[in-house]
Every structure is written in C-alpha cells, then in structure tokens.
Amino acid sequence: MGRIKAKPEVCMGCHLCEVWCAVAHSKSKHIIKAFLYEEDKPLPRLVVEEKLPLTFALQCRHCAEPDCVTACISGALSKDPETGRVVHDPNQCVGCYSCVLTCPYGSIFINPRKREIIKCDLCAGLDTFYCVSHCPNEALVYEDC
C-alpha cells in the first residue's frame, strides 16, 4: 500500500500533473488525441493548489480510515484491503456528493458534465503513475506506507 506525496518546495505550478492525469484517464492515452479528438474530454483526478509562494498537487490520500467511504450512502466508495486504494464504483454512485463534503483534503471532485465524482485511483490498471512520471521537477513521489 502506498500513496502519492507532494513536495511543495520543488513544485513550480506547471500543472503538467493535471494534464498527464487527464491523459491517463482518456480513451486514447495520447496527449494530442485526448484533448483534440476525443468527444468525452478527459478530466484530471488531481488539482494544483496555488497559494504563492507554495504550489502543490492535491489528490486523494487513500486514507487508512477514509471518511468518504463511511459517508457514502450507496457503497460506491470502498477501501480495497489488498491495495489500500479507495475505489469508486460509478455504477453504484447515486450522486449525493456526501463524499465530496466529507473529504478533509478536498480531493474528491465533481465531473460537471456527468454529475458524478472523480478521484485519484492511483492509475489503476496502468503501468505507471502518470502524474509522478511526468513531473519535470519530481515534485510528486510515490511512497509505500
């Protein structure tokens, strides 16, 4: 089990982590095709907070005891005991957004087009963490807990 950790002392606020996160969750996994040609434009599962002089990427912490899972009335959010990931099942989600309100880090977002939540899934099913591997300053690192 692990999580992605931000290092604000080296983050320059370039937002490339957001761009590559969106690409990772696109159909094509190709930066040009994802933004120019896909009908359903991909959205990032993290956001860069800019409170100058500090900037940092904010994404799901995959908490040991996640408040969002407890608050979820439909069981759409669950904690995977093997990987430690907080997993979202969009087919079970009723769109009440109680998880959005409960997350102490503000890292669960609403997709305005589909009116459903989106959150970091630690690039489930992919070979690499796109935000970590494409950060030019190594301001994001994956750490085992």
Side-chain angles (χ1 to χ4, degrees), residues 33-109:
K33 291 177 184 175
F35 291 105
L36 292 181
Y37 303 119
E38 290 185 16
E39 188 175 317
D40 192 17
K41 303 289 185 226
L43 295 172
R45 271 65 173 163
L46 60 90
V47 66
V48 173
E49 289 290 329
E50 295 187 66
K51 193 85 165 170
L52 295 176
L54 289 178
T55 59
F56 60 93
L58 178 67
Q59 69 277 335
C60 180
R61 302 283 198 259
H62 299 276
C63 302
E65 295 179 20
D67 293 334
C68 60
V69 171
T70 305
C72 182
I73 63 171
S74 66
L77 285 174
S78 60
K79 179 86 170 168
D80 185 326
E82 290 182 24
T83 63
R85 296 176 184 200
V86 175
V87 182
H88 175 246
D89 180 356
N91 296 322
Q92 279 190 276
C93 185
V94 295
C96 68
Y97 306 138
S98 59
C99 57
V100 176
L101 296 170
T102 307
C103 177
Y105 301 104
S107 59
I108 301 177
F109 311 103

Side-chain angles (χ1 to χ4, degrees), residues 24-36:
H25 292 89
S26 70
K27 290 182 181 105
S28 66
K29 308 288 187 265
H30 185 277
I31 191 165
I32 302 298
K33 291 177 184 175
F35 291 105
L36 292 181

